[in-house]
Amino acid sequence: MSQAEFRSRARRLRDARRLVVKVGSALLVDAKSGRLNRAWLESLADDLARATRRGQQVIVVSSGAIAMGRRHLGFANERLRLEESQAAAAVGQIRLAHAWQELLEARKLAVAQVLLTFEDTEERQRYLNARATVNTLLSLGAIPVINENDTVATAEIRYGDNDRLAARVAQMASAECLVLLSDIDGLYSADPKVDPAATFIPEVREITLQLESTATGPVSGVGSGGMSTKVAAARIALAAGCSLCIASGHRQNPLKAIEEGERCTWFVAEATPVAVRKQWIAGTLKPRGRIFIDAGAAAALGRGKSLLPAGVARVSGGFERGDTVSIIAAGREIGRGLAGYSAADAARIAGHRSADIEALVGFRGREELIHRDDLVMLRERAE
Ligand code: GLU
């Protein structure tokens, strides 16, 4: 595949409204000295700043906490026990966050540290809160720098987990593109370090079992999770409508290099994140409750607006915030959405103006009962 073809594929990176860039430990931290690869990070920060200047919203998923922290605690290259890794992460994360702050603030970008655990991206209510926070940060022009909250993780911290975390973040943020910067330039038919006949795979549209079996485990001890975690990440990303690129970070300005046509592997999503999310909401088998709305609200939803409490006549069911609910108008289900309030709170604010929400429920919640991004109108059923 020619450079021009790679450049054309890289439009997915250029055109993404939201872009997630994951940086692995081996790129961030020099294995021998345990110090940051500062010159390289400066060049990456330039790339990120350029993306934001052209209107893209950027999220960074940064590994490297353990790699940075272990030296400071006097560990050499030995394998760490879980609590030692967690201690190293606690020491390293503060330094890592500081480095990102310096790098990005020098480019007039606000930086926010977000530490997530896998449960946050899997458990519904925490997921919604994390999503809302990340959305708010992005809309205010800040760059969330995300890592796993290693100090409270209960399972073994594995290198490569951040590939999957990055895919979950991309899914959570409805990002169109995820770039995994790695120590290898993409996917091969076999491990190129072992098999000289291994061929490069420039594009993947479907993750087959055969592809999964060619993607092997860890390829280096320093930081790489190997190909298997990357393919697992790609599976999550594609299912969320997000295209994913595995590219080498062993070059200055790695994002610019991709855009200019450097070789990398693209996993191409067929659907868009919004379409996937809406399909998922619409497909919920058992909505947890019902929200009965008036004709005015139904008309507003038809025009693509959010559902405000003012248009709600009553609610039924025992739903919690984040559960899927049916929206009923004139006795018919017209849509489904994720509730922004529990059934009890929704009942309290039904029929009231959004400005009164705080007085009614005792906290300053969101204006909408169902945000338009969390709402899907069902097609009229043929009579
Ligand atoms: N969260 C770990 C760290 O920051 C790294 C996990 C990974 O590289 O996948 O050290």
Side-chain angles (χ1 to χ4, degrees):
M1 191 175 283
S2 70
Q3 189 181 4
E5 281 170 294
F6 277 110
R7 192 162 55 226
S8 146
R9 284 186 160 71
R11 69 182 179 280
R12 299 193 183 90
L13 195 168
R14 284 189 302 269
D15 296 348
R17 199 179 47 94
R18 276 195 185 164
L19 171 66
V20 180
V21 180
K22 183 254 167 181
V23 195
S25 301
L27 295 170
L28 266 151
V29 182
D30 181 75
K32 284 201 194 76
S33 67
R35 280 188 221 286
L36 276 183
N37 287 324
R38 188 164 283 275
W40 179 77
L41 274 167
E42 296 275 356
S43 81
L44 173 62
D46 285 339
D47 285 357
L48 299 173
R50 203 165 47 101
T52 60
R53 275 201 303 277
R54 60 186 181 207
Q56 294 181 286
Q57 295 182 330
V58 180
I59 299 173
V60 175
V61 173
S62 175
S63 303
I66 299 172
M68 278 194 86
R70 57 185 301 147
R71 301 274 156 178
H72 287 275
L73 290 179
F75 293 116
N77 282 329
E78 69 262 40
R79 216 182 137 74
L80 303 182
R81 285 182 292 137
L82 174 61
E83 56 273 28
E84 289 169 339
S85 296
Q86 292 181 302
V91 170
Q93 182 60 35
I94 199 167
R95 309 183 84 89
L96 195 59
H98 186 70
W100 279 111
Q101 181 191 1
E102 259 181 32
L103 286 162
L104 294 174
E105 276 185 4
R107 289 160 182 82
K108 309 258 180 306
L109 295 166
V111 193
Q113 173 184 251
V114 179
L115 299 179
L116 294 175
T117 62
F118 271 96
E119 293 80 50
D120 291 331
T121 57
E122 267 150 24
E123 202 235 311
R124 177 55 59 78
Q125 281 182 41
R126 293 167 67 149
Y127 171 94
L128 277 190
N129 278 355
R131 178 181 162 88
T133 306
V134 167
N135 279 343
T136 304
L137 287 167
L138 291 171
S139 67
L140 294 171
I143 297 201
V145 175
I146 300 181
N147 195 357
E148 189 170 355
N149 194 353
D150 290 326
T151 51
V152 298
T154 47
E156 195 191 337
I157 305 169
R158 285 165 312 217
Y159 283 121
D161 280 352
N162 273 8
D163 291 332
R164 229 163 317 161
L165 180 70
R168 294 261 178 233
V169 165
Q171 173 189 41
M172 182 176 87
S174 300
E176 290 90 355
C177 177
L178 164 60
V179 179
L180 299 180
L181 292 177
S182 159
D183 51 5
I184 188 159
D185 59 355
L187 189 66
Y188 290 78
S189 61
D191 184 345
K193 287 184 186 133
V194 182
D195 183 351
T199 54
F200 187 79
I201 304 174
E203 187 173 282
V204 178
R205 289 188 175 263
E206 195 195 345
I207 298 171
T208 57
L209 288 176
Q210 196 214 340
L211 186 95
E212 268 179 338
S213 65
T214 55
T216 50
V219 288
S220 82
V222 194
S224 172
M227 272 303 142
S228 58
T229 61
K230 292 183 174 43
V231 171
R235 186 178 276 289
I236 298 168
L238 291 195
C242 176
S243 291
L244 176 143
C245 168
I246 301 176
S248 167
H250 286 307
R251 48 170 87 112
Q252 299 287 305
N253 298 100
L255 300 181
K256 192 156 171 257
I258 299 169
E259 287 173 26
E260 287 174 353
E262 282 271 8
R263 171 165 114 161
C264 58
T265 297
W266 277 100
F267 290 77
V268 181
E270 303 291 347
T272 65
V274 174
V276 169
R277 188 171 157 77
K278 297 219 165 191
Q279 206 175 27
W280 170 74
I281 294 170
T284 308
L285 286 180
K286 262 188 150 205
R288 290 297 175 90
R290 295 166 168 211
I291 298 190
F292 297 83
I293 66 171
D294 63 26
L301 297 194
R303 292 195 304 273
K305 300 269 195 252
S306 296
L307 177 62
L308 301 178
V312 175
R314 65 187 178 90
V315 307
S316 72
F319 56 90
E320 288 299 326
R321 198 169 108 67
D323 283 340
T324 304
V325 290
S326 291
I327 302 166
I328 315 285
R332 208 167 52 85
E333 182 180 40
I334 63 161
R336 284 184 183 182
L338 303 182
Y341 288 88
S342 66
D345 286 340
R348 279 187 202 111
I349 62 178
H352 291 276
R353 292 179 314 137
S354 298
D356 298 334
I357 290 178
E358 187 170 3
L360 292 164
V361 298
F363 59 91
R364 197 170 156 216
R366 57 193 61 198
E367 270 181 32
E368 312 85 13
L369 186 50
I370 302 178
H371 190 277
R372 59 188 154 82
D373 290 349
D374 298 334
L375 191 148
V376 47
M377 302 301 284
L378 303 180
R379 272 216 318 257
E380 304 239 31
R381 291 212 188 91
E383 295 294 309

